[in-house]
Amino acid sequence: MQDKIKLEICCGTTCYMLGAAELMTIEDTLPDAWKDRVDVFAIPCMDLCTREDIGRAPFVRIDGEVMGNATLETVHRALSKLLPIEPEEV
Amino acid sequence: MSNGAERLRRELMIRFVREFKNGTLEKNIDRIPFAIRPAQSASSRCCIYHDRAVLKYRLMTMLGFDCGDDGCEERPLSGYLEEAQSSDLRPSQPLTVSAAGCDGCPESRINVTTNCRGCFARPCVFSCPKQAISVEDHHAKVDYSKCIKCGKCLQVCPFNAIIKTKVPCEDACPVGAIRKDGTGHASIDFDKCIYCGKCFAKCPFGAVMERSELYRVMRHIRDGRKVVALVAPSAQFQFPGGIGKLFSAIAAVGFADVIEVALGAELTTENEAKEFVERLRKGEKLMTTSCCTAYVELVRKHAQELQSCVSSTPSPMRYAGMLARDKHPDALTVFIGPCIAKRFEAFQSENIDMAMSFEELGSLLAGWGVDIMSQPEWPMPRPAIATARNFAKSCGVTDAVLTELLGENSDLKLDSKFINGIDAKTALQLKLYAKGKLPGNFLEVMSCPGGCVGGPCSLVR
């Protein structure tokens, strides 16, 4: 069994208002082959929204790596680079 | 985030709150549109000047003003801010349309596109009930003096060559209250409007705006007034971390107390069940719910025949207002929910002083720098019962009343029906109910699909 990917979604109020609420539905959108390979966590404010150098809210962290301007689409793309299995039709 | 208009609206609201909190709103308000659309930045509309103008109107509505007012173009935002500060007036209506924001979309009509092959079968010509389609030069043509936009031709065209252009606000409005005025821009007829907020949710240009009381709420808190928040039951599905943390977050902004509107829903349930029993014992055939304000307005303005069947029991918001007044007679009360119609009901409720949406609450917390998830659990004196908290979902009201009825009145039979989402056909359907032509003795009507949780100002749909 390989290690699971840790997907942390910032649910600080600003991230939540600007898209994290929708990102929290990501588990329902993952292809079946990925479902037991990703652990999704809602986490409190990472205090990144006040910085201007790393993109804009909402933020996620994928195995420790921060990603700004996160959408379902961009998170899927980032996961696909880490997961060798081809997702079926999403 | 479902769309860009929504994102920009929330970003602006968060900024507005942050400037207020930092005490810099007076100094900076005129510059906000320029800060968001600086020189040489990309624009969402035709140019940054247009964007800035619409941002200005949106900020006016955040202060509670009507952005259709004469003279608003030359008057600086700081002037409006001063007026909001000194007058503390409630908005006269919950909604307004910004002519600068409105695209003046082309009239709704049937269009034949270049996909048309001028085919031999011509099902469009044959299916048209008004003989409005002819084929000239191998291309179908619509006679607009005859066309009734029924759309039959769309369905039968084998090439999908016929489309119907829509005006999204007009298309969304269930009562024909939003229409183009002489200039081609949308305008709301408040004699018809039921405040359902469907135009607000559907306009892709964000031109339909709420006249907010956010500024009133913040300034009363800043000025040291005691302000109590009344939070609608649907909040439990809207924010991260559950309502215990949410209530603590609300208190962290400076609200003196936070009360569940579900406690009001308990009283609505109890009294509505009693009223229903009384009505049935008197021989009445039908009673409808009254907690959805858009529905109550729909009956009042468009289906008067049903008026006598609408329950006279106060809504959960009104009961919660009474509870709050009893507990804190010296405080101002703020209803917080996913609804635009409740803003209108709040204008008329003596125990509700202001109303806010979930979107405004979220922006208030974000702009204030309050992280909901890291809050402690709020010490709730007594949590509302589950059926009352469930009012926010379609059929929740019926479930609650049914539960209340069970036991003592087993001889009465509850035959419940639902209208889950008001659309253009609902007024007609209600007239049929009034005539007794449809079955059921208890009718629950919710304007939003799925109930309040599907409200126009909800964060998660």
Side-chain angles (χ1 to χ4, degrees):
Chain A
M1 188 68 198
Q2 290 158 287
D3 285 346
K4 283 188 173 184
I5 291 176
K6 190 174 176 190
L7 170 62
E8 296 167 294
I9 298 170
C10 177
C11 283
T13 315
T14 301
C15 283
Y16 191 80
M17 289 295 292
L18 299 179
E22 193 187 16
L23 288 175
M24 285 304 295
T25 65
I26 194 159
E27 276 184 297
D28 304 330
T29 72
L30 293 178
D32 284 341
W34 289 3
K35 285 213 161 119
D36 23 327
R37 299 291 314 278
V38 184
D39 270 337
V40 182
F41 301 92
I43 58 166
C45 182
M46 295 193 279
D47 213 14
L48 298 171
C49 44
T50 48
R51 282 171 54 181
E52 281 172 5
D53 52 331
I54 44 163
R56 295 159 72 201
F59 292 94
V60 298
R61 215 157 44 189
I62 302 175
D63 275 347
E65 189 124 351
V66 170
M67 181 175 138
N69 307 72
T71 62
L72 287 175
E73 188 56 40
T74 56
V75 174
H76 269 254
R77 224 177 302 148
L79 289 174
S80 70
K81 285 182 189 148
L82 301 170
L83 290 164
I85 316 158
E86 277 297 303
E88 298 128 51
E89 210 50 34
V90 180
Chain B
M1 190 93 291
S2 62
N3 68 62
E6 203 169 84
R7 176 166 180 123
L8 191 59
R9 182 172 73 226
R10 290 181 188 174
E11 280 181 325
L12 184 65
M13 223 182 270
I14 293 171
R15 189 171 196 128
F16 176 76
V17 172
R18 196 182 301 137
E19 298 271 10
F20 178 90
K21 189 195 175 228
N22 295 341
T24 49
L25 190 61
E26 282 81 357
K27 191 172 105 228
N28 290 343
I29 191 162
D30 285 314
R31 281 164 36 199
I32 293 177
F34 297 87
I36 293 182
R37 284 290 178 269
Q40 271 116 43
S41 63
S43 66
S44 319
R45 293 165 192 272
C46 61
C47 57
I48 53 171
Y49 311 104
H50 193 171
D51 278 355
R52 289 174 186 167
V54 180
L55 286 164
K56 178 191 166 182
Y57 291 126
R58 194 171 283 291
L59 284 161
M60 274 175 63
T61 62
M62 284 182 198
L63 292 166
F65 291 94
D66 180 355
C67 59
D69 278 351
D70 287 340
C72 53
E73 212 166 352
E74 56 224 73
R75 191 173 173 199
L77 282 164
S78 44
Y80 284 102
L81 179 59
E82 221 166 275
E83 188 182 331
Q85 169 75 27
S86 58
S87 67
D88 191 40
L89 279 180
R90 294 197 90 160
S92 54
Q93 293 290 351
L95 290 170
T96 173
V97 182
S98 159
C102 176
D103 184 53
C105 318
E107 289 279 358
S108 163
R109 63 178 217 171
I110 303 289
N111 284 310
V112 182
T113 68
T114 51
N115 280 6
C116 174
R117 311 281 303 142
C119 67
F120 181 57
R122 297 175 187 177
C124 54
V125 173
F126 285 87
S127 68
C128 179
K130 295 288 172 188
Q131 285 85 49
I133 302 189
S134 56
V135 177
E136 286 170 29
D137 297 331
H138 305 287
H139 196 83
K141 205 180 150 209
V142 180
D143 178 347
Y144 292 108
S145 66
K146 292 180 182 166
C147 176
I148 54 163
K149 307 178 198 170
C150 69
K152 289 211 165 76
C153 51
L154 270 71
Q155 292 153 17
V156 296
C157 174
F159 301 104
N160 292 334
I162 308 180
I163 56 167
K164 185 178 180 179
T165 52
K166 293 197 280 189
V167 180
C169 61
E170 288 182 8
D171 195 58
C173 180
V175 291
I178 190 162
R179 286 266 175 264
K180 287 163 174 300
D181 60 14
T183 66
H185 294 113
S187 150
I188 298 172
D189 178 351
F190 286 106
D191 290 334
K192 290 183 178 170
C193 178
I194 60 170
Y195 313 106
C196 65
K198 293 183 201 291
C199 56
F200 164 82
K202 286 290 159 65
C203 173
F205 284 88
V208 183
M209 300 179 184
E210 294 171 281
R211 292 176 62 182
S212 174
E213 294 187 278
L214 181 58
Y215 179 76
R216 296 187 65 218
V217 173
M218 295 194 297
R219 60 82 57 100
H220 283 302
I221 291 176
R222 180 194 61 194
D223 296 349
R225 279 296 301 262
K226 194 168 164 188
V227 183
V228 173
L230 307 175
V231 183
S234 44
Q236 60 190 310
F237 310 107
Q238 292 288 320
F239 293 92
I243 57 170
K245 290 185 190 316
L246 177 67
F247 282 22
S248 295
I250 295 172
V253 173
F255 285 87
D257 196 4
V258 191
I259 295 174
E260 271 191 275
V261 171
L263 294 172
E266 291 180 356
L267 295 169
T268 300
T269 307
E270 192 188 319
N271 291 303
E272 198 156 295
K274 269 190 213 150
E275 183 186 356
F276 180 56
V277 170
E278 274 167 30
R279 282 177 180 246
L280 285 190
R281 300 238 185 264
K282 268 196 283 180
E284 290 184 25
K285 300 271 182 288
L286 174 72
M287 186 180 94
T288 81
T289 52
S290 62
C291 49
C292 172
T293 314
Y295 161 64
V296 172
E297 288 300 299
L298 177 66
V299 171
R300 191 168 73 86
K301 292 177 176 165
H302 303 277
Q304 270 288 331
E305 303 93 311
L306 198 65
Q307 192 71 62
S308 62
C309 299
V310 178
S311 161
S312 58
T313 304
S315 67
M317 176 180 84
R318 287 187 194 240
Y319 274 124
M322 292 178 209
L323 294 174
R325 277 277 192 270
D326 274 351
K327 195 172 167 194
H328 305 284
D330 54 335
L332 293 169
T333 54
V334 186
F335 172 82
I336 305 173
C339 184
I340 287 172
K342 284 284 169 206
R343 285 183 192 276
F344 174 76
E345 191 189 332
F347 293 163
Q348 303 171 324
S349 314
E350 53 175 339
N351 293 320
I352 305 292
D353 301 308
M354 295 172 273
M356 253 168 75
S357 68
F358 285 150
E359 189 174 87
E360 287 166 332
L361 173 61
S363 303
L364 176 63
L365 297 173
W368 219 262
V370 178
D371 181 34
I372 304 171
M373 283 189 76
S374 34
Q375 297 297 314
E377 287 294 319
W378 175 257
M380 222 156 293
R382 180 182 74 78
I385 58 172
T387 49
R389 283 190 176 173
N390 219 13
F391 251 60
K393 285 185 171 164
S394 186
C395 308
V397 183
T398 308
D399 283 346
V401 171
L402 180 67
T403 315
E404 185 78 24
L405 275 176
L406 281 176
E408 298 166 36
N409 296 288
S410 49
D411 59 314
L412 293 175
K413 205 173 168 318
L414 178 81
D415 180 12
S416 58
K417 300 289 172 212
F418 314 100
I419 294 179
N420 177 14
I422 289 176
D423 61 25
K425 290 181 189 135
T426 310
L428 203 67
Q429 206 180 344
L430 293 178
K431 287 176 203 274
L432 290 175
Y433 270 109
K435 284 185 186 147
K437 299 209 165 162
L438 294 171
N441 60 12
F442 187 85
L443 176 66
E444 176 188 311
V445 188
M446 291 286 207
S447 172
C448 298
C452 306
V453 288
C457 309
S458 52
L459 302 175
V460 186
R461 280 180 208 116

